[in-house]
Amino acid sequence: QVHLAESGGGLVQPGGSLNLSCVASKSIRNFNPMGWYRQAPGKQRELVATIRTVGRTNYADSVQGRFTISRDSEQNAVHLQMHSLKVEDPAVYYCNAISINYGEYEAEYWGQGTQVTVSS
């Protein structure tokens, strides 16, 4: 079983920044992709950003240019830098990882989430 532990959530004013981190309990070498999703109250969980092992990234239109996803194989971690936070960004942010074995889907893992609140 793989555990994903998120951290870095909190309260920030509009226009502010937060850095989220997700540390995996094992090597992320075979996690492809890793990503961040978010779920606001009363809404479906939605993709925020993903990153593949080769570094290719994908962002939701709503965060493009404000958020940056990165992965660190030495730390077994994926990070999400969030800038210019808006009042529509608050949600529980979840770390996600797709495990690949010999090129084939093996399993999907989720963290327990970290709350991001944007308020003045």
Side-chain angles (χ1 to χ4, degrees), residues 19-58:
N19 294 323
L20 305 184
S21 292
C22 169
V23 179
S25 60
K26 62 172 285 186
S27 170
I28 65 171
R29 182 173 50 200
N30 292 328
F31 290 168
N32 192 30
M34 295 189 75
W36 290 92
Y37 290 72
R38 67 186 181 186
Q39 187 168 20
K43 295 186 177 181
Q44 290 187 333
R45 190 171 298 188
E46 62 177 4
L47 179 146
V48 176
T50 60
I51 184 168
R52 297 197 167 273
T53 53
V54 294
R56 188 166 70 241
T57 57
N58 179 52

